[in-house]
Amino acid sequence: MSRPSISELERKYLLDAFDSGWISSLGDYVVRAEDKLKTIGGVTHAAVVSNGTTALHLALLALDIGPGDEVIIPSSTYVATLNAVLYVGALPVIVDVDPVTWCISPDAVHEALTTKTRAVIAVDLYGHPADYGSLREICGPAGVVLVADAAESIGGSLQGVPVGALADVSTFSFFGNKVVTSGEGGAVVTQDAEVDRRIRKLRNQGNHEDRRYFHDILGYNYRMTNLAAAILCAQLERLPELLSSRQGVVEQYDRLFELNPTLVPQGRASGAAASPWMYSLELKGELAGRRDDIMSQMRAEGVETRPVFNTVESMPYLKSFRSSPTPVAGTLAKSGVSLPTFPGMTPSEVEHVVTSLFRACGLTK
């Protein structure tokens, strides 16, 4: 599905961090990575952390969201979005997604609001920014915080505003298959100085700002190491190159699937520049019911694929939640498939994936 692009620059920075002796969570590369993220995200504050899930957890903690609060999330998302809400003891309120972009539906959010709603987490599914303009119009008057789970969308934008500056607080993931990686890693970015201060304190065991080894709040060890930050710095410097390479893959897929009514790619909203993370499409008609068999046949030919995320309300450990109908997310969970997408993927590799898919579907190109 994905192959990271690791160059000599990553090796150079990693060995420099190693040789410096600063291999844990203090070191120049941590600061450099945060500075680079501020520029890329168009924000004044950025804090790197151990992974994308801890970034979401810290964001909700810093916003003082907890038991008795409701947090609206989309049905179509990776389970980390749900888990972060459960970690803080809040009640997840699960709503449907837009049938075109597959991102959280603003109309569904509006209908789900109650006096207990404290936050909305919008997920930029597969790299496409959610409709933050409409979400802000809903959240602002209601006094609800808008959080962006931008794990998959670094480098994207909406109406010219970069991902990172579209919500009150945004989180990134730098897992090995993401647009930029540090192996494991994440970040929280914001314009709010107080939220950033709390993030930094919470990620460092709740350590008091002035009194060493005195912890006046419950904190967590969610820090990023200088070694991981060194790899991240190189990846962030190479972001334009990585985006361009991935975009070439996406454009080739688009041409090969053009006007095919039974293989419909995730749509794109006007004014949205999606980050080209993972090319995903919905199987239509009789192909929808054959999705898993089609994926199995492709796997037998050496082509790995991924199903679109299961609905979060289907997770068996989820005991307490509120949900409205989620027909779009439910359909995508059964009929959606993601195809290999990574920088350096050759035109012949893309062609091979598409040929395998058409063959498994019984279609001719």
Side-chain angles (χ1 to χ4, degrees):
M1 283 301 297
S2 183
R3 185 185 305 144
S5 173
I6 306 297
S7 72
E8 282 301 311
L9 186 62
E10 284 84 353
R11 178 181 173 84
K12 175 184 175 182
Y13 285 1
L14 177 60
L15 292 177
D16 182 53
F18 181 85
D19 291 339
S20 75
W22 293 101
I23 63 171
S24 192
S25 56
L26 295 175
D28 291 343
Y29 285 102
V30 171
V31 177
R32 286 172 59 178
E34 291 176 340
D35 286 343
K36 191 69 175 175
L37 283 166
K38 286 187 282 188
T39 300
I40 291 170
V43 292
T44 51
H45 304 283
V48 293
V49 297
S50 54
N51 59 63
T53 307
T54 58
L56 279 170
H57 186 197
L58 287 172
L60 296 181
L61 288 169
L63 294 166
D64 199 28
I65 293 170
D69 296 331
E70 294 182 350
V71 179
I72 299 175
I73 65 173
S75 177
S76 292
T77 183
Y78 183 55
V79 73
T81 313
L82 168 67
N83 287 347
V85 178
L86 299 178
Y87 292 164
V88 299
L91 182 73
V93 178
I94 302 163
V95 301
D96 208 3
V97 295
D98 181 86
V100 175
T101 66
W102 306 357
C103 296
I104 194 167
S105 163
D107 290 340
V109 169
H110 186 265
E111 292 175 5
L113 284 177
T114 72
T115 55
K116 294 183 178 180
T117 306
R118 286 289 313 283
V120 172
I121 303 179
V123 177
D124 298 343
L125 199 69
Y126 300 127
H128 192 292
D131 184 355
Y132 289 98
S134 297
L135 292 170
R136 280 196 174 279
E137 290 178 0
I138 295 166
C139 292
V144 172
V145 178
L146 181 56
V147 177
D149 180 346
E152 304 162 357
S153 61
I154 191 169
S157 64
L158 185 65
Q159 307 298 340
V161 179
V163 167
L166 292 166
D168 298 311
V169 181
S170 300
T171 65
F172 293 122
S173 169
F174 307 125
F175 183 62
N177 66 2
K178 294 302 191 290
V179 174
V180 296
T181 182
S182 55
E184 283 279 9
V188 187
V189 301
T190 183
Q191 305 281 29
D192 190 317
E194 177 58 21
V195 168
D196 180 69
R197 185 194 69 79
R198 296 200 69 193
I199 293 289
R200 292 173 179 279
K201 184 168 184 172
L202 286 162
R203 75 175 178 181
N204 191 30
Q205 300 282 23
N207 205 41
H208 192 276
E209 290 89 340
D210 303 316
R211 188 176 172 187
R212 198 171 185 189
Y213 300 123
F214 183 76
H215 308 265
D216 53 345
I217 63 170
L218 175 65
Y220 304 82
N221 181 2
Y222 284 173
R223 298 167 301 215
M224 177 183 282
T225 69
N226 198 44
L227 297 179
I231 299 172
L232 179 58
C233 281
Q235 290 268 294
L236 292 172
E237 289 181 19
R238 295 178 59 218
L239 180 59
E241 167 202 340
L242 298 173
L243 290 171
S244 177
S245 182
R246 283 176 171 272
Q247 188 60 36
V249 173
V250 167
E251 290 172 359
Q252 185 180 357
Y253 274 136
D254 279 343
R255 291 192 297 271
L256 293 171
F257 290 122
E258 191 173 17
L259 302 180
N260 189 302
T262 56
L263 301 171
V264 180
Q266 178 184 12
R268 293 156 201 167
S270 175
S275 181
W277 179 52
M278 188 171 291
Y279 196 91
S280 303
L281 46 80
E282 183 182 358
L283 307 183
K284 296 285 191 176
E286 63 91 17
L287 294 180
R290 294 176 48 213
R291 193 271 310 270
D292 291 352
D293 289 339
I294 289 167
M295 293 173 63
S296 294
Q297 184 173 328
M298 294 178 70
R299 183 168 59 250
E301 296 182 357
V303 177
E304 185 182 5
T305 58
R306 273 179 37 167
V308 164
F309 297 124
N310 288 308
T311 60
V312 292
E313 64 267 29
S314 69
M315 301 303 156
Y317 64 88
L318 183 59
K319 305 301 182 186
S320 181
F321 66 99
R322 184 163 62 84
S323 178
S324 55
T326 58
V328 177
T331 297
L332 289 171
K334 296 175 182 177
S335 63
V337 61
S338 297
L339 304 179
T341 315
F342 52 87
M345 192 174 178
T346 66
S348 62
E349 287 176 324
V350 175
E351 182 77 30
H352 175 59
V353 171
V354 174
T355 298
S356 177
L357 175 59
F358 271 75
R359 184 162 47 241
C361 291
L363 300 173
T364 56
K365 287 200 295 182

